[in-house]
Amino acid sequence: MSPQDKEQKRKELVERGKVLKEEIHAQETELSALESKLYEQAVMIPNSTHPTSPIGPESAAQLIRIQGVPRLNAGGRALLGNESSYPLLDHVSLSKILDLVDFEAATAVTGSRWYYLKNEAALLELALIQFATQRAVRKGFTPVITPDVVRPEVVQACGFQPRDEASQTYWVSTTAPGSTSKEAAHHHQHSALCLVATAEIALAGMNMNRVLEESLLPIKLAGFGRAFRAEAGSRGAEVKGLYRVHQFSKVELFVVSKADQVESDKALEEIRQFQEDIFEELGLCYRVLDMPTEELGASAYKKYDIEAWMPGRNGWGEISSTSNCTDYQARRLNIRYRTNKIRPQVSSGSISEGGSNSYMTTEFAHTLNGTAMAIPRIIVALLETYQQKDGSVHLPECLWPFMAGVQVIRPKDHKFL
């Protein structure tokens, strides 16, 4: 081949290389877009459900047990509970009489469904946090104070959809109102954060991208944080007073267990029993429900709700829940642990059971969560349950050590009517 032919061949190969490079780049771009679309569809797939979970909507929930007897207003359904000899008020009326909550000032300062707790109500929130946290520590939970702001990918990995149009998520922004759309888009893409709807999200993220030692499991955490919820679309009695608000304090239980269904099911029952123990100690009338498939959300494999009887609502109101999410969150957060199992290694067409050809393996953990104390709703239940004829509220004895000497909340300057 002549030098001229060689040079011509080299130029052809160089040009061909350029074309191939452009084709590869285009195909990589297309592959990346397809992978993103595939991931977006994959994350919409919910967890499987426990074989014992009821199938259907909320009305299909199965009653596990009722603890205590509902307190009813005069003329109520006497067969269902104890009829009061005097009218029972709701927590909003009691809060006015006892000067415990200022909704009007909060509405002016922030907006509807925000509130100031004051006087004994402020003490009561702190008391409930201490009470729940101390009881959790006694049961082997490690106390944690969590961040209230997290990255949106952590929220999504836990089974919530922060970018959904019907999202209950508040976004944190450092872009001032009136900024250009370009500035806002840059901020949203590179530095967007979310206010958490539950400390479960921050607690789950604590072990993100970690490989844990099996001997450390189960990891039991009791996290305190604030919960923020937009509560779009809620209305009526659900939004009255403290029952459904945009911000509240919460003590959350979180467990990382081995990927053993028997063990994680056992952990779920232990969390539920802990919840029942503290609600019994508070003297609340409550019921436990095994929640049906349509109420599990994306992440839960099995879920229990606990509802307290609230005389002012003349009905039950949810105060707690607990869920086994199996490996749903762990897979998305990459929470693994080293197992004591030995996985056989294939070598030269044969399987070696031990020796230098065997190695340790890792598995995705199971995660569980449960509400130890959602403060506003417990305050609702306590005020309405323990109200007296003169308008006072006698607090349960278990809270006295945390109430700065207050055992009874009494009406303030004006006479109870």
Side-chain angles (χ1 to χ4, degrees):
M1 182 180 292
S2 67
Q4 293 84 359
D5 291 340
K6 287 182 179 179
E7 180 61 22
Q8 180 62 33
K9 185 66 173 178
R10 188 189 70 80
K11 289 181 178 180
E12 289 175 357
L13 291 173
V14 169
E15 289 301 317
R16 177 59 179 160
K18 290 180 179 179
V19 171
L20 288 173
K21 185 177 180 180
E22 291 175 357
E23 289 178 353
I24 290 171
H25 177 72
Q27 289 176 4
E28 286 178 339
T29 302
E30 183 180 1
L31 176 62
S32 177
L34 288 173
E35 286 178 338
S36 296
K37 289 181 180 179
L38 179 62
Y39 179 80
E40 289 173 2
Q41 294 300 312
V43 296
M44 299 301 292
I45 300 173
N47 201 347
S48 57
T49 56
H50 196 285
T52 63
S53 293
I55 296 175
E58 184 177 5
S59 58
Q62 291 184 357
L63 178 64
I64 303 298
R65 66 184 295 255
I66 295 178
Q67 169 65 31
V69 180
R71 191 179 181 195
L72 303 174
N73 259 311
R77 297 162 292 176
L79 293 178
L80 297 180
N82 292 327
E83 184 175 336
S84 173
S85 60
Y86 51 88
L88 299 177
L89 305 178
D90 64 22
H91 76 281
V92 177
S93 300
L94 289 166
S95 296
K96 290 180 179 178
I97 293 166
L98 301 171
D99 195 23
L100 299 178
V101 188
D102 193 334
F103 294 106
E104 291 77 13
T107 298
V109 170
T110 311
S112 61
R113 281 186 272 170
W114 301 83
Y115 58 96
Y116 287 95
L117 293 182
K118 57 183 182 177
N119 296 319
E120 294 92 341
L123 293 176
L124 187 54
E125 167 159 323
L126 298 174
L128 288 167
I129 294 167
Q130 284 279 14
F131 168 71
T133 303
Q134 289 192 16
R135 295 301 187 271
V137 169
R138 289 180 188 177
K139 291 294 184 179
F141 287 84
T142 299
V144 180
I145 295 180
T146 63
D148 295 332
V149 180
V150 299
R151 300 181 188 277
E153 54 266 31
V154 179
V155 177
Q156 188 172 40
C158 289
F160 303 90
Q161 300 297 325
R163 292 185 173 88
D164 191 284
E165 290 182 0
S167 173
Q168 302 299 306
T169 304
Y170 281 110
W171 290 86
V172 177
S173 175
T174 56
T175 303
S179 300
T180 65
S181 58
K182 184 177 180 181
E183 290 173 338
H186 180 273
H187 163 78
H188 188 77
Q189 181 179 359
H190 296 284
S191 59
L193 295 169
C194 299
L195 290 173
V196 295
T198 167
E200 168 199 342
I201 297 169
L203 292 171
M206 279 187 74
N207 291 300
M208 180 173 60
N209 295 323
R210 289 184 179 176
V211 179
L212 309 168
E213 297 300 329
E214 185 175 18
S215 59
L216 298 177
L217 302 181
I219 295 174
K220 301 166 64 176
L221 306 173
F224 167 73
R226 299 277 189 170
F228 297 86
R229 301 182 183 181
E231 298 291 3
S234 54
R235 58 182 62 85
E238 290 288 301
V239 302
K240 186 178 181 182
L242 293 172
Y243 188 79
R244 193 174 295 278
V245 290
H246 292 309
Q247 172 189 324
F248 59 95
S249 298
K250 188 182 183 191
V251 180
E252 182 80 5
L253 306 177
F254 193 85
V255 175
V256 181
S257 83
K258 291 193 291 185
D260 180 290
Q261 199 58 62
V262 174
E263 287 206 20
S264 61
D265 282 346
K266 179 182 177 183
L268 180 70
E269 298 303 323
E270 288 175 351
I271 294 174
R272 192 191 96 185
Q273 188 58 58
F274 173 84
Q275 293 169 323
E276 290 196 52
D277 288 345
I278 60 175
F279 297 145
E280 282 189 40
E281 196 170 355
L282 287 171
L284 298 178
C285 171
Y286 66 85
R287 67 179 184 179
V288 182
L289 301 173
D290 188 355
M291 299 308 290
T293 52
E294 294 181 24
E295 291 294 310
L296 297 183
S299 61
Y301 175 70
K302 187 176 181 65
K303 176 186 175 186
Y304 294 112
D305 275 2
I306 298 180
E307 298 179 339
W309 180 261
M310 300 178 179
R313 290 168 57 89
N314 195 36
W316 302 96
E318 182 186 342
I319 57 171
S320 183
S321 67
T322 183
S323 302
N324 183 356
C325 297
T326 61
D327 61 358
Y328 180 95
Q329 295 174 333
R331 286 182 179 275
R332 289 157 175 78
L333 292 168
N334 194 27
I335 304 173
R336 297 171 176 264
Y337 67 98
R338 294 185 182 88
T339 73
N340 291 324
K341 302 173 184 177
I342 302 296
R343 180 195 297 169
Q345 186 178 47
V346 178
S347 177
S348 301
S350 63
I351 296 178
S352 174
E353 294 292 345
S356 60
N357 287 332
S358 296
Y359 58 95
M360 302 297 288
T361 186
T362 62
E363 294 187 21
F364 289 108
H366 282 190
T367 61
L368 304 95
N369 63 81
T371 306
M373 194 69 66
I375 304 301
R377 292 195 182 181
I378 297 298
I379 290 177
V380 171
L382 290 175
L383 293 179
E384 295 184 1
T385 297
Y386 285 101
Q387 61 180 293
Q388 306 299 309
K389 187 175 183 178
D390 64 354
S392 64
V393 173
H394 290 202
L395 297 174
E397 188 172 347
C398 61
L399 296 179
W400 293 357
F402 312 108
M403 284 295 297
V406 176
Q407 298 179 8
V408 180
I409 304 175
R410 302 185 185 280
K412 302 301 187 286
D413 296 332
H414 50 79
K415 183 180 178 181
F416 175 67
L417 299 178

PDB file of all heavy atoms in Angstrom, residues 74-105:
ATOM      1  N   ALA A  74     -74.504  12.961  77.366  1.00  0.00           N
ATOM      2  CA  ALA A  74     -75.841  12.582  77.802  1.00  0.00           C
ATOM      3  C   ALA A  74     -76.737  12.376  76.585  1.00  0.00           C
ATOM      4  O   ALA A  74     -76.721  13.175  75.650  1.00  0.00           O
ATOM      5  CB  ALA A  74     -76.424  13.664  78.716  1.00  0.00           C
ATOM      6  N   GLY A  75     -77.487  11.277  76.592  1.00  0.00           N
ATOM      7  CA  GLY A  75     -78.338  10.959  75.459  1.00  0.00           C
ATOM      8  C   GLY A  75     -77.617  10.203  74.369  1.00  0.00           C
ATOM      9  O   GLY A  75     -78.168   9.961  73.293  1.00  0.00           O
ATOM     10  N   GLY A  76     -76.362   9.827  74.641  1.00  0.00           N
ATOM     11  CA  GLY A  76     -75.584   9.084  73.654  1.00  0.00           C
ATOM     12  C   GLY A  76     -75.971   7.619  73.636  1.00  0.00           C
ATOM     13  O   GLY A  76     -76.910   7.178  74.298  1.00  0.00           O
ATOM     14  N   ARG A  77     -75.191   6.854  72.885  1.00  0.00           N
ATOM     15  CA  ARG A  77     -75.486   5.425  72.749  1.00  0.00           C
ATOM     16  C   ARG A  77     -74.972   4.698  73.983  1.00  0.00           C
ATOM     17  O   ARG A  77     -73.825   4.246  74.025  1.00  0.00           O
ATOM     18  CB  ARG A  77     -74.833   4.894  71.477  1.00  0.00           C
ATOM     19  CG  ARG A  77     -75.367   5.529  70.203  1.00  0.00           C
ATOM     20  CD  ARG A  77     -74.432   5.309  69.037  1.00  0.00           C
ATOM     21  NE  ARG A  77     -73.188   6.040  69.219  1.00  0.00           N
ATOM     22  CZ  ARG A  77     -72.152   5.961  68.377  1.00  0.00           C
ATOM     23  NH1 ARG A  77     -72.231   5.185  67.320  1.00  0.00           N
ATOM     24  NH2 ARG A  77     -71.053   6.654  68.615  1.00  0.00           N
ATOM     25  N   ALA A  78     -75.834   4.591  74.993  1.00  0.00           N
ATOM     26  CA  ALA A  78     -75.414   4.100  76.306  1.00  0.00           C
ATOM     27  C   ALA A  78     -74.812   2.703  76.256  1.00  0.00           C
ATOM     28  O   ALA A  78     -73.946   2.357  77.046  1.00  0.00           O
ATOM     29  CB  ALA A  78     -76.605   4.114  77.270  1.00  0.00           C
ATOM     30  N   LEU A  79     -75.272   1.879  75.314  1.00  0.00           N
ATOM     31  CA  LEU A  79     -74.745   0.518  75.234  1.00  0.00           C
ATOM     32  C   LEU A  79     -73.302   0.484  74.777  1.00  0.00           C
ATOM     33  O   LEU A  79     -72.598  -0.498  74.980  1.00  0.00           O
ATOM     34  CB  LEU A  79     -75.611  -0.321  74.280  1.00  0.00           C
ATOM     35  CG  LEU A  79     -77.046  -0.607  74.732  1.00  0.00           C
ATOM     36  CD1 LEU A  79     -77.774  -1.389  73.656  1.00  0.00           C
ATOM     37  CD2 LEU A  79     -77.047  -1.393  76.050  1.00  0.00           C
ATOM     38  N   LEU A  80     -72.839   1.584  74.157  1.00  0.00           N
ATOM     39  CA  LEU A  80     -71.476   1.611  73.622  1.00  0.00           C
ATOM     40  C   LEU A  80     -70.474   2.232  74.575  1.00  0.00           C
ATOM     41  O   LEU A  80     -69.281   2.206  74.318  1.00  0.00           O
ATOM     42  CB  LEU A  80     -71.452   2.387  72.298  1.00  0.00           C
ATOM     43  CG  LEU A  80     -72.284   1.786  71.162  1.00  0.00           C
ATOM     44  CD1 LEU A  80     -72.161   2.656  69.922  1.00  0.00           C
ATOM     45  CD2 LEU A  80     -71.830   0.364  70.852  1.00  0.00           C
ATOM     46  N   GLY A  81     -70.930   2.825  75.672  1.00  0.00           N
ATOM     47  CA  GLY A  81     -69.982   3.462  76.569  1.00  0.00           C
ATOM     48  C   GLY A  81     -70.642   4.003  77.810  1.00  0.00           C
ATOM     49  O   GLY A  81     -71.812   3.720  78.103  1.00  0.00           O
ATOM     50  N   ASN A  82     -69.863   4.789  78.581  1.00  0.00           N
ATOM     51  CA  ASN A  82     -70.348   5.388  79.809  1.00  0.00           C
ATOM     52  C   ASN A  82     -70.944   6.754  79.506  1.00  0.00           C
ATOM     53  O   ASN A  82     -70.260   7.631  78.968  1.00  0.00           O
ATOM     54  CB  ASN A  82     -69.197   5.543  80.808  1.00  0.00           C
ATOM     55  CG  ASN A  82     -68.701   4.189  81.287  1.00  0.00           C
ATOM     56  OD1 ASN A  82     -69.470   3.244  81.413  1.00  0.00           O
ATOM     57  ND2 ASN A  82     -67.394   4.096  81.547  1.00  0.00           N
ATOM     58  N   GLU A  83     -72.201   6.929  79.844  1.00  0.00           N
ATOM     59  CA  GLU A  83     -72.878   8.197  79.577  1.00  0.00           C
ATOM     60  C   GLU A  83     -72.516   9.209  80.648  1.00  0.00           C
ATOM     61  O   GLU A  83     -72.596   8.941  81.846  1.00  0.00           O
ATOM     62  CB  GLU A  83     -74.387   7.990  79.540  1.00  0.00           C
ATOM     63  CG  GLU A  83     -75.166   9.242  79.184  1.00  0.00           C
ATOM     64  CD  GLU A  83     -76.651   8.974  79.047  1.00  0.00           C
ATOM     65  OE1 GLU A  83     -77.018   7.814  78.780  1.00  0.00           O
ATOM     66  OE2 GLU A  83     -77.430   9.926  79.211  1.00  0.00           O
ATOM     67  N   SER A  84     -72.087  10.404  80.199  1.00  0.00           N
ATOM     68  CA  SER A  84     -71.702  11.461  81.126  1.00  0.00           C
ATOM     69  C   SER A  84     -72.948  12.127  81.709  1.00  0.00           C
ATOM     70  O   SER A  84     -73.982  12.240  81.039  1.00  0.00           O
ATOM     71  CB  SER A  84     -70.847  12.505  80.398  1.00  0.00           C
ATOM     72  OG  SER A  84     -70.596  13.614  81.237  1.00  0.00           O
ATOM     73  N   SER A  85     -72.832  12.596  82.944  1.00  0.00           N
ATOM     74  CA  SER A  85     -73.959  13.281  83.588  1.00  0.00           C
ATOM     75  C   SER A  85     -73.985  14.768  83.265  1.00  0.00           C
ATOM     76  O   SER A  85     -74.888  15.486  83.674  1.00  0.00           O
ATOM     77  CB  SER A  85     -73.873  13.099  85.112  1.00  0.00           C
ATOM     78  OG  SER A  85     -72.657  13.647  85.604  1.00  0.00           O
ATOM     79  N   TYR A  86     -72.983  15.239  82.518  1.00  0.00           N
ATOM     80  CA  TYR A  86     -72.938  16.649  82.117  1.00  0.00           C
ATOM     81  C   TYR A  86     -72.411  16.724  80.680  1.00  0.00           C
ATOM     82  O   TYR A  86     -71.771  15.770  80.184  1.00  0.00           O
ATOM     83  CB  TYR A  86     -72.045  17.466  83.060  1.00  0.00           C
ATOM     84  CG  TYR A  86     -70.664  16.883  83.277  1.00  0.00           C
ATOM     85  CD1 TYR A  86     -69.600  17.198  82.437  1.00  0.00           C
ATOM     86  CD2 TYR A  86     -70.430  16.003  84.330  1.00  0.00           C
ATOM     87  CE1 TYR A  86     -68.350  16.668  82.630  1.00  0.00           C
ATOM     88  CE2 TYR A  86     -69.178  15.461  84.534  1.00  0.00           C
ATOM     89  CZ  TYR A  86     -68.136  15.800  83.690  1.00  0.00           C
ATOM     90  OH  TYR A  86     -66.889  15.257  83.895  1.00  0.00           O
ATOM     91  N   PRO A  87     -72.683  17.835  79.992  1.00  0.00           N
ATOM     92  CA  PRO A  87     -72.256  17.947  78.584  1.00  0.00           C
ATOM     93  C   PRO A  87     -70.734  17.875  78.458  1.00  0.00           C
ATOM     94  O   PRO A  87     -70.004  18.508  79.231  1.00  0.00           O
ATOM     95  CB  PRO A  87     -72.785  19.317  78.154  1.00  0.00           C
ATOM     96  CG  PRO A  87     -73.879  19.628  79.128  1.00  0.00           C
ATOM     97  CD  PRO A  87     -73.478  18.999  80.426  1.00  0.00           C
ATOM     98  N   LEU A  88     -70.280  17.126  77.495  1.00  0.00           N
ATOM     99  CA  LEU A  88     -68.847  17.020  77.218  1.00  0.00           C
ATOM    100  C   LEU A  88     -68.495  17.935  76.038  1.00  0.00           C
ATOM    101  O   LEU A  88     -69.147  17.892  74.998  1.00  0.00           O
ATOM    102  CB  LEU A  88     -68.475  15.574  76.884  1.00  0.00           C
ATOM    103  CG  LEU A  88     -68.735  14.548  77.995  1.00  0.00           C
ATOM    104  CD1 LEU A  88     -68.400  13.143  77.518  1.00  0.00           C
ATOM    105  CD2 LEU A  88     -67.924  14.896  79.246  1.00  0.00           C
ATOM    106  N   LEU A  89     -67.480  18.745  76.235  1.00  0.00           N
ATOM    107  CA  LEU A  89     -67.088  19.722  75.225  1.00  0.00           C
ATOM    108  C   LEU A  89     -65.971  19.169  74.346  1.00  0.00           C
ATOM    109  O   LEU A  89     -65.255  18.243  74.729  1.00  0.00           O
ATOM    110  CB  LEU A  89     -66.618  21.007  75.902  1.00  0.00           C
ATOM    111  CG  LEU A  89     -67.606  21.660  76.879  1.00  0.00           C
ATOM    112  CD1 LEU A  89     -66.977  22.896  77.503  1.00  0.00           C
ATOM    113  CD2 LEU A  89     -68.906  22.018  76.163  1.00  0.00           C
ATOM    114  N   ASP A  90     -65.820  19.783  73.187  1.00  0.00           N
ATOM    115  CA  ASP A  90     -64.682  19.399  72.351  1.00  0.00           C
ATOM    116  C   ASP A  90     -63.442  20.187  72.791  1.00  0.00           C
ATOM    117  O   ASP A  90     -63.522  21.117  73.598  1.00  0.00           O
ATOM    118  CB  ASP A  90     -64.984  19.623  70.866  1.00  0.00           C
ATOM    119  CG  ASP A  90     -65.218  21.078  70.495  1.00  0.00           C
ATOM    120  OD1 ASP A  90     -64.773  21.983  71.230  1.00  0.00           O
ATOM    121  OD2 ASP A  90     -65.850  21.331  69.460  1.00  0.00           O
ATOM    122  N   HIS A  91     -62.287  19.801  72.257  1.00  0.00           N
ATOM    123  CA  HIS A  91     -61.034  20.396  72.740  1.00  0.00           C
ATOM    124  C   HIS A  91     -60.918  21.871  72.376  1.00  0.00           C
ATOM    125  O   HIS A  91     -60.224  22.626  73.067  1.00  0.00           O
ATOM    126  CB  HIS A  91     -59.841  19.609  72.192  1.00  0.00           C
ATOM    127  CG  HIS A  91     -59.537  19.888  70.741  1.00  0.00           C
ATOM    128  ND1 HIS A  91     -60.265  19.321  69.709  1.00  0.00           N
ATOM    129  CD2 HIS A  91     -58.603  20.684  70.157  1.00  0.00           C
ATOM    130  CE1 HIS A  91     -59.769  19.743  68.552  1.00  0.00           C
ATOM    131  NE2 HIS A  91     -58.765  20.560  68.791  1.00  0.00           N
ATOM    132  N   VAL A  92     -61.594  22.313  71.320  1.00  0.00           N
ATOM    133  CA  VAL A  92     -61.531  23.722  70.948  1.00  0.00           C
ATOM    134  C   VAL A  92     -62.203  24.580  72.021  1.00  0.00           C
ATOM    135  O   VAL A  92     -61.651  25.594  72.463  1.00  0.00           O
ATOM    136  CB  VAL A  92     -62.185  23.950  69.574  1.00  0.00           C
ATOM    137  CG1 VAL A  92     -62.193  25.439  69.227  1.00  0.00           C
ATOM    138  CG2 VAL A  92     -61.455  23.169  68.486  1.00  0.00           C
ATOM    139  N   SER A  93     -63.380  24.150  72.460  1.00  0.00           N
ATOM    140  CA  SER A  93     -64.081  24.878  73.526  1.00  0.00           C
ATOM    141  C   SER A  93     -63.298  24.827  74.828  1.00  0.00           C
ATOM    142  O   SER A  93     -63.164  25.842  75.529  1.00  0.00           O
ATOM    143  CB  SER A  93     -65.480  24.285  73.732  1.00  0.00           C
ATOM    144  OG  SER A  93     -66.248  24.378  72.547  1.00  0.00           O
ATOM    145  N   LEU A  94     -62.773  23.657  75.154  1.00  0.00           N
ATOM    146  CA  LEU A  94     -61.973  23.519  76.378  1.00  0.00           C
ATOM    147  C   LEU A  94     -60.729  24.397  76.324  1.00  0.00           C
ATOM    148  O   LEU A  94     -60.346  25.007  77.336  1.00  0.00           O
ATOM    149  CB  LEU A  94     -61.574  22.061  76.577  1.00  0.00           C
ATOM    150  CG  LEU A  94     -62.699  21.106  76.987  1.00  0.00           C
ATOM    151  CD1 LEU A  94     -62.259  19.655  76.825  1.00  0.00           C
ATOM    152  CD2 LEU A  94     -63.138  21.375  78.426  1.00  0.00           C
ATOM    153  N   SER A  95     -60.111  24.482  75.161  1.00  0.00           N
ATOM    154  CA  SER A  95     -58.894  25.293  75.021  1.00  0.00           C
ATOM    155  C   SER A  95     -59.176  26.768  75.264  1.00  0.00           C
ATOM    156  O   SER A  95     -58.333  27.490  75.815  1.00  0.00           O
ATOM    157  CB  SER A  95     -58.293  25.097  73.628  1.00  0.00           C
ATOM    158  OG  SER A  95     -57.865  23.766  73.451  1.00  0.00           O
ATOM    159  N   LYS A  96     -60.360  27.227  74.860  1.00  0.00           N
ATOM    160  CA  LYS A  96     -60.729  28.627  75.109  1.00  0.00           C
ATOM    161  C   LYS A  96     -60.947  28.862  76.601  1.00  0.00           C
ATOM    162  O   LYS A  96     -60.480  29.847  77.168  1.00  0.00           O
ATOM    163  CB  LYS A  96     -61.991  28.976  74.319  1.00  0.00           C
ATOM    164  CG  LYS A  96     -61.769  29.052  72.810  1.00  0.00           C
ATOM    165  CD  LYS A  96     -63.067  29.407  72.092  1.00  0.00           C
ATOM    166  CE  LYS A  96     -62.851  29.498  70.583  1.00  0.00           C
ATOM    167  NZ  LYS A  96     -64.121  29.804  69.853  1.00  0.00           N
ATOM    168  N   ILE A  97     -61.671  27.953  77.227  1.00  0.00           N
ATOM    169  CA  ILE A  97     -61.959  28.095  78.654  1.00  0.00           C
ATOM    170  C   ILE A  97     -60.681  28.052  79.483  1.00  0.00           C
ATOM    171  O   ILE A  97     -60.514  28.809  80.450  1.00  0.00           O
ATOM    172  CB  ILE A  97     -62.916  26.971  79.106  1.00  0.00           C
ATOM    173  CG1 ILE A  97     -64.277  27.150  78.448  1.00  0.00           C
ATOM    174  CG2 ILE A  97     -63.037  26.929  80.627  1.00  0.00           C
ATOM    175  CD1 ILE A  97     -65.166  25.942  78.561  1.00  0.00           C
ATOM    176  N   LEU A  98     -59.747  27.188  79.076  1.00  0.00           N
ATOM    177  CA  LEU A  98     -58.518  26.975  79.846  1.00  0.00           C
ATOM    178  C   LEU A  98     -57.357  27.825  79.335  1.00  0.00           C
ATOM    179  O   LEU A  98     -56.265  27.763  79.902  1.00  0.00           O
ATOM    180  CB  LEU A  98     -58.142  25.494  79.794  1.00  0.00           C
ATOM    181  CG  LEU A  98     -59.200  24.531  80.344  1.00  0.00           C
ATOM    182  CD1 LEU A  98     -58.819  23.083  80.054  1.00  0.00           C
ATOM    183  CD2 LEU A  98     -59.397  24.741  81.843  1.00  0.00           C
ATOM    184  N   ASP A  99     -57.587  28.595  78.274  1.00  0.00           N
ATOM    185  CA  ASP A  99     -56.567  29.484  77.703  1.00  0.00           C
ATOM    186  C   ASP A  99     -55.300  28.698  77.334  1.00  0.00           C
ATOM    187  O   ASP A  99     -54.195  29.016  77.766  1.00  0.00           O
ATOM    188  CB  ASP A  99     -56.227  30.616  78.688  1.00  0.00           C
ATOM    189  CG  ASP A  99     -55.464  31.754  78.015  1.00  0.00           C
ATOM    190  OD1 ASP A  99     -55.573  31.888  76.770  1.00  0.00           O
ATOM    191  OD2 ASP A  99     -54.744  32.480  78.715  1.00  0.00           O
ATOM    192  N   LEU A 100     -55.488  27.699  76.487  1.00  0.00           N
ATOM    193  CA  LEU A 100     -54.388  26.795  76.145  1.00  0.00           C
ATOM    194  C   LEU A 100     -53.850  26.982  74.732  1.00  0.00           C
ATOM    195  O   LEU A 100     -52.680  26.699  74.471  1.00  0.00           O
ATOM    196  CB  LEU A 100     -54.846  25.334  76.302  1.00  0.00           C
ATOM    197  CG  LEU A 100     -55.280  24.891  77.685  1.00  0.00           C
ATOM    198  CD1 LEU A 100     -55.746  23.436  77.641  1.00  0.00           C
ATOM    199  CD2 LEU A 100     -54.149  25.068  78.693  1.00  0.00           C
ATOM    200  N   VAL A 101     -54.700  27.402  73.792  1.00  0.00           N
ATOM    201  CA  VAL A 101     -54.302  27.478  72.387  1.00  0.00           C
ATOM    202  C   VAL A 101     -54.786  28.799  71.800  1.00  0.00           C
ATOM    203  O   VAL A 101     -55.902  29.235  72.072  1.00  0.00           O
ATOM    204  CB  VAL A 101     -54.904  26.308  71.562  1.00  0.00           C
ATOM    205  CG1 VAL A 101     -54.314  26.310  70.149  1.00  0.00           C
ATOM    206  CG2 VAL A 101     -54.651  24.971  72.239  1.00  0.00           C
ATOM    207  N   ASP A 102     -53.928  29.424  70.997  1.00  0.00           N
ATOM    208  CA  ASP A 102     -54.309  30.658  70.312  1.00  0.00           C
ATOM    209  C   ASP A 102     -54.269  30.399  68.812  1.00  0.00           C
ATOM    210  O   ASP A 102     -53.211  30.433  68.178  1.00  0.00           O
ATOM    211  CB  ASP A 102     -53.351  31.797  70.682  1.00  0.00           C
ATOM    212  CG  ASP A 102     -53.884  33.164  70.252  1.00  0.00           C
ATOM    213  OD1 ASP A 102     -54.676  33.207  69.290  1.00  0.00           O
ATOM    214  OD2 ASP A 102     -53.499  34.166  70.875  1.00  0.00           O
ATOM    215  N   PHE A 103     -55.420  30.113  68.242  1.00  0.00           N
ATOM    216  CA  PHE A 103     -55.521  29.876  66.801  1.00  0.00           C
ATOM    217  C   PHE A 103     -55.566  31.197  66.032  1.00  0.00           C
ATOM    218  O   PHE A 103     -55.036  31.298  64.919  1.00  0.00           O
ATOM    219  CB  PHE A 103     -56.778  29.062  66.478  1.00  0.00           C
ATOM    220  CG  PHE A 103     -56.766  27.662  67.026  1.00  0.00           C
ATOM    221  CD1 PHE A 103     -57.545  27.323  68.120  1.00  0.00           C
ATOM    222  CD2 PHE A 103     -55.973  26.683  66.457  1.00  0.00           C
ATOM    223  CE1 PHE A 103     -57.546  26.029  68.624  1.00  0.00           C
ATOM    224  CE2 PHE A 103     -55.956  25.391  66.944  1.00  0.00           C
ATOM    225  CZ  PHE A 103     -56.756  25.065  68.038  1.00  0.00           C
ATOM    226  N   GLU A 104     -56.219  32.208  66.626  1.00  0.00           N
ATOM    227  CA  GLU A 104     -56.411  33.470  65.920  1.00  0.00           C
ATOM    228  C   GLU A 104     -55.078  34.155  65.639  1.00  0.00           C
ATOM    229  O   GLU A 104     -54.827  34.625  64.515  1.00  0.00           O
ATOM    230  CB  GLU A 104     -57.314  34.398  66.737  1.00  0.00           C
ATOM    231  CG  GLU A 104     -58.767  33.950  66.830  1.00  0.00           C
ATOM    232  CD  GLU A 104     -58.975  32.804  67.816  1.00  0.00           C
ATOM    233  OE1 GLU A 104     -58.041  32.525  68.609  1.00  0.00           O
ATOM    234  OE2 GLU A 104     -60.071  32.204  67.796  1.00  0.00           O
ATOM    235  N   ALA A 105     -54.210  34.223  66.650  1.00  0.00           N
ATOM    236  CA  ALA A 105     -52.911  34.876  66.448  1.00  0.00           C
ATOM    237  C   ALA A 105     -52.080  34.125  65.414  1.00  0.00           C
ATOM    238  O   ALA A 105     -51.419  34.729  64.575  1.00  0.00           O
ATOM    239  CB  ALA A 105     -52.153  34.966  67.772  1.00  0.00           C
TER     240      ALA A 105
END
